[in-house]
Amino acid sequence: TEQMKGIAVIGDIFMDVSVLGTKQIPTWGQDSNVDSIDLNLGGSAMNTSRALADVGINVSLFSSVGNDKFGHLILNDFANHSVDPSNVQVVDEIGTGSCVVISGNNDRCFLSVYGANGIYSLGLDNYDQLKYYSHIHISGLFVLKGLQNDQFLNLLVRLKENGCSISLNPQTDEGNWTANGILPELFDIVDIVICNEYEAKNITKQKKVPKAIRKLCKNHQTTVFIVTQGSSDIFYGFGNVHHTVTPVKVENNDVVDPSGCGDAFNAGFLSGFILDKDLEECITIGCEFGAYNLTQKGAP
């Protein structure tokens, strides 16, 4: 059967409490006035899926929410972005993932409850659901504890054998940055890994991004690694080949909200990749998506 010309995104969904205009994070017992506090849909996989659908890419999200108020709000929003929700599980035993996103002018931090994300799982039994997609994107791996096992790796190997290409955006980790020990093998299975400088340095235990990407490329010769650095040059490489791309510059006065810029980059990159554009052009498109998102309120 002919494969679908679309993307399956596997990953996290959160209900975000978004705090904008944070000039100083208060210490215990103190208060700090901010510009606004809003309720928004979030999660790296959710954001990436919506941004892809908004530019006309056929995309389905594979994830999990709780059977609660947040979960129902999320499911009702799918129609606004043409994301296929049919593979989002609704579970009774635990609530929807939620996150407080605290944003300043140039960076952000998070407080999270992983909720249903932490128990979401996939294995070979799910092969038939995924085999018709031309590309699989995994996002938010470190919060997806139910995917950090051999069953998920075996599924990805089978999908690769069927002709699917696979990308990974691991996101940040509060633990030891190994994803229960599967990360090295996962890096060898996927075609592309996209992470930011903080993630790359922690995964490799290196203090500098150039050393981090050289280590990643040396240890996983057939995988493309892309490391973003906010407004600084993006490093990418595979094997012994390493390059940089200068991102689109956004003036400080135009910055509204840095939330979700990495997810926007991922969507831009994938929108080019699925059309068989070359690697550097895909990165450039990702930069354009990220720059635009920086000037907007909220994640994609």
Side-chain angles (χ1 to χ4, degrees):
T1 305
E2 185 179 353
Q3 287 186 325
M4 294 169 59
K5 301 298 182 183
I7 297 177
V9 178
I10 299 171
D12 56 340
I13 297 177
F14 283 92
M15 181 59 77
D16 287 348
V17 179
S18 301
V19 183
L20 296 184
T22 308
K23 297 173 178 62
Q24 182 178 353
I25 297 176
T27 59
W28 292 112
Q30 294 185 336
D31 191 10
S32 181
N33 188 43
V34 298
D35 291 345
S36 66
I37 300 177
D38 293 311
L39 196 63
N40 296 300
L41 274 64
S44 177
M46 183 69 171
N47 294 341
T48 302
S49 297
R50 291 194 300 172
L52 284 166
D54 286 349
V55 294
I57 304 296
N58 177 26
V59 59
S60 180
L61 180 55
F62 286 71
S63 189
S64 181
V65 297
N67 187 14
D68 54 20
K69 184 180 294 184
F70 282 172
H72 297 153
L73 285 171
I74 289 167
L75 292 172
N76 289 337
D77 184 77
F78 276 92
N80 296 330
H81 295 273
S82 301
V83 177
D84 174 16
S86 62
N87 294 296
V88 176
Q89 300 174 1
V90 181
V91 297
D92 292 317
E93 61 267 33
I94 193 167
T96 300
S98 55
C99 181
V100 179
V101 184
I102 304 172
S103 298
N105 281 339
N106 296 301
D107 212 339
R108 69 272 188 270
C109 61
F110 310 92
L111 296 168
S112 301
V113 175
Y114 296 161
N117 295 303
I119 65 169
Y120 182 65
S121 63
L122 290 171
L124 285 173
D125 289 345
N126 304 103
Y127 172 74
D128 286 341
Q129 295 170 260
L130 287 157
K131 66 182 180 181
Y132 296 119
Y133 292 95
S134 57
H135 185 79
I136 309 292
H137 179 65
I138 307 158
S139 200
L141 175 73
F142 286 126
V143 308
L144 303 166
K145 307 299 183 184
L147 298 183
Q148 298 174 12
N149 51 53
D150 289 340
Q151 288 83 359
F152 184 54
L153 295 182
N154 292 338
L155 171 64
L156 296 179
V157 169
R158 180 84 180 276
L159 290 167
K160 281 288 292 287
E161 292 171 348
N162 189 54
C164 292
S165 54
I166 304 176
S167 56
L168 168 67
N169 178 217
Q171 294 284 300
T172 193
D173 187 27
E174 63 175 1
N176 59 11
W177 297 87
T178 68
N180 199 30
I182 71 162
L183 205 58
E185 187 173 353
L186 181 58
F187 279 174
D188 285 332
I189 294 171
V190 303
D191 300 284
I192 300 162
V193 176
I194 305 171
C195 54
N196 64 30
E197 57 183 317
Y198 175 76
E199 295 155 6
K201 289 188 285 189
N202 277 280
I203 289 168
T204 60
K205 306 298 188 271
Q206 298 293 318
K207 294 182 178 180
K208 301 290 184 181
V209 170
K211 288 186 176 181
I213 198 162
R214 282 197 293 269
K215 182 175 181 179
L216 289 167
C217 292
K218 179 181 178 182
N219 291 344
H220 311 280
Q221 294 275 324
T222 61
T223 304
V224 173
F225 289 91
I226 301 167
V227 181
T228 62
Q229 300 187 99
S231 60
S232 299
D233 283 357
I234 294 167
F235 283 85
Y236 73 95
F238 47 92
N240 296 319
V241 179
H242 309 109
H243 299 285
T244 60
V245 175
T246 300
V248 178
K249 183 175 177 57
V250 179
E251 299 297 334
N252 285 339
N253 290 340
D254 295 327
V255 173
V256 175
D257 184 3
S259 301
C261 286
D263 305 327
F265 174 89
N266 295 340
F269 177 90
L270 293 171
S271 71
F273 183 81
I274 201 170
L275 296 176
D276 295 322
K277 296 184 182 297
D278 66 60
L279 188 59
E280 189 157 321
E281 187 174 359
C282 292
I283 293 172
T284 300
I285 297 170
C287 291
E288 292 169 352
F289 274 50
Y292 174 77
N293 190 79
L294 196 60
T295 66
Q296 306 300 306
K297 187 176 181 179

